[in-house]
Amino acid sequence: MRALITGITGFVGAHLAEELHNQGYEVFGTTRKSCPNAMFANSAIQIIPMNYNSEEDILEILNKIKPHEIYHLAGQSSVKMSWENKVDTLETNIILTVKLLEALRKSDVADSAKLLMIGSSEEYGSIDNENTPITEEAVLRPISPYGVSKASTSLLFQQYVKVYGLKLLYARPFNHIGPGQDIGFVTSDFAKQIVMIEKGIHLPNISVGNLEAQRDFTDVRDIVSAYTMLVEKGQIGEIYNICSGKPHAIKYILTYLLDLSFNKNIQVKQDENKMRPSEFPIYIGDSTKIQEHIGWETTYSIEKSLQDILNYWRIMI
Ligand code: GDD
């Protein structure tokens, strides 16, 4: 079986590539970077530079590889960055997705390949109290450019299933964390600063954003196992939340990481630049549908994820 991952060199892409490789797949991945081979340790995973702006280029790659499964991970994944680069976020997440869907429907594998599209809990945006925990039926009222971009892809998803009969599935993951995640996301932002302080590279103060928000965190290793299970056993045309169902305050994450630190004298400073123009106070997902349809559930505790993230940065710095 051949799997193709767009955006393979990203945080989730790297974990997914390993997972599929371990399951015995022949794994191909695309990246927009020009010198991709230097970036991947496992040489069995074949990386192909792709011009995401060119539908012809995408079509050529699909017809050459003839994947049985496609995982569309490429995109702009930072909510914060989406406020700073609105046009790029909309172009990267919406236009690129349309080009992939167009290429797929014109390709030799249009009738056979399954494609998993990746949305986000940010699509839900502003949620009424009575609609928490959030199910897939909740009305989409995104409150960030990133949320708008992903809500748009879920509408496109429904059209391409109905109109062209493509074998598409749609994942709506809530926050995912784990070793390898870049800075710009909360757990890596905190863990990297703590390790820099431990190593004496940084003064003993950590800069943070909004600590009051509560989010539903899942380890990336659980997320990629949900992705492969969905493609194997999920229903075509369906949208699936991927979440733990347990909210954690950002303050809890910070406190837990500070407790794990070797340095017990770290001062916390709130940084106005790390606050968002708008954000929803609490997201809790409902994972009943994915549990019932494919039997997926989380296996990593948040504490285990945080320990692994801190250790990752201790090795990297
Ligand atoms: N990044 C960051 N850095 N966030 C901080 C910080 C900080 O120093 N301090 C507090 N926060 C708060 C943010 O305000 C937000 O409420 C929460 O921590 C999580 O922020 P992120 O880790 O940046 O994630 P996100 O919720 O904006 O987006 C992530 O989750 C989405 C699913 O809900 C991303 O992984 C998206 O790609 C994903 O779709």
Side-chain angles (χ1 to χ4, degrees):
M1 291 278 275
R2 286 181 300 280
L4 176 67
I5 304 171
T6 70
I8 194 167
T9 54
F11 163 54
V12 183
H15 283 277
L16 179 60
E18 287 300 326
E19 171 75 20
L20 287 165
H21 175 69
N22 292 340
Q23 289 184 21
Y25 281 78
E26 201 180 341
V27 182
F28 297 83
T30 63
T31 173
R32 70 173 85 213
K33 299 188 173 107
S34 56
C35 188
N37 281 336
M39 297 182 307
F40 233 78
N42 188 337
S43 57
I45 294 165
Q46 300 176 56
I47 316 263
I48 305 154
M50 183 160 86
N51 177 1
Y52 289 117
N53 289 319
S54 161
E55 194 187 305
E56 293 73 30
D57 202 23
I58 304 172
L59 180 60
E60 197 183 315
I61 288 169
L62 290 178
N63 284 340
K64 200 165 156 204
I65 296 172
K66 296 201 177 11
H68 300 96
E69 298 177 4
I70 305 165
Y71 297 81
H72 179 38
L73 266 48
Q76 197 295 93
S77 62
S78 162
V79 178
K80 179 155 195 304
M81 287 288 286
S82 80
W83 286 106
E84 287 144 31
N85 299 309
K86 300 177 184 76
V87 173
D88 176 62
T89 301
L90 297 174
E91 271 177 7
T92 308
N93 291 356
I94 304 174
I95 306 300
L96 188 157
T97 300
V98 179
K99 287 185 176 163
L100 174 65
L101 291 169
E102 280 297 297
L104 178 61
R105 82 177 180 86
K106 294 170 189 166
S107 76
D108 299 342
V109 291
D111 296 333
S112 57
K114 288 187 189 175
L115 165 61
L116 181 71
M117 294 171 62
I118 312 299
S120 166
S121 54
E122 278 288 313
E123 293 174 47
Y124 295 119
S126 182
I127 285 284
D128 299 326
N129 273 348
E130 64 269 24
N131 291 328
T132 295
I134 308 166
T135 70
E136 293 81 354
E137 305 307 316
V139 177
L140 305 183
R141 290 189 296 198
I143 53 171
S144 66
Y146 174 81
V148 169
S149 74
K150 290 294 183 177
S152 305
T153 60
S154 70
L155 298 175
L156 286 163
F157 158 78
Q158 285 157 353
Q159 289 178 3
Y160 274 81
V161 171
K162 245 193 198 139
V163 179
Y164 299 112
L166 293 181
K167 294 186 166 165
L168 310 181
L169 298 108
Y170 195 91
R172 231 176 235 153
F174 286 56
N175 289 61
H176 33 306
I177 56 172
Q181 191 168 31
D182 225 332
I183 53 164
F185 299 92
V186 68
T187 54
S188 277
D189 277 355
F190 292 174
K192 185 178 180 190
Q193 290 184 79
I194 289 171
V195 172
M196 287 177 76
I197 294 166
E198 285 179 351
K199 301 205 174 195
I201 302 167
H202 201 286
L203 291 172
N205 51 58
I206 177 168
S207 115
V208 302
N210 177 13
L211 298 181
E212 304 308 320
Q214 295 186 55
R215 294 288 177 265
D216 182 333
F217 292 93
T218 300
D219 192 282
V220 65
R221 293 160 284 192
D222 280 331
I223 295 272
V224 297
S225 98
Y227 288 174
T228 63
M229 286 173 74
L230 275 178
V231 172
E232 189 195 344
K233 300 192 264 187
Q235 285 176 25
I236 302 297
E238 290 295 323
I239 294 175
Y240 291 94
N241 281 347
I242 305 179
C243 51
S244 69
K246 296 180 208 117
H248 282 98
I250 304 304
K251 196 185 282 169
Y252 174 79
I253 308 255
L254 177 64
T255 308
Y256 195 83
L257 286 169
L258 289 174
D259 283 349
L260 290 176
S261 172
F262 304 137
N263 188 322
K264 297 295 173 204
N265 296 311
I266 299 176
Q267 302 296 312
V268 175
K269 277 193 182 167
Q270 198 150 49
D271 179 350
E272 278 308 307
N273 292 324
K274 295 197 168 179
M275 305 299 273
R276 314 254 167 108
S278 93
E279 70 171 350
F280 202 67
I282 176 165
Y283 283 130
I284 312 171
D286 184 325
S287 61
T288 308
K289 184 172 175 182
I290 192 168
Q291 281 176 33
E292 287 182 356
H293 282 211
I294 65 167
W296 173 86
E297 48 189 42
T298 56
T299 61
Y300 284 82
S301 68
I302 189 157
E303 292 77 15
K304 166 75 177 136
S305 304
L306 293 174
Q307 178 77 68
D308 289 352
I309 292 163
L310 201 59
N311 287 340
Y312 165 81
W313 284 107
R314 283 178 177 146
I315 293 165
M316 293 304 289
I317 294 173

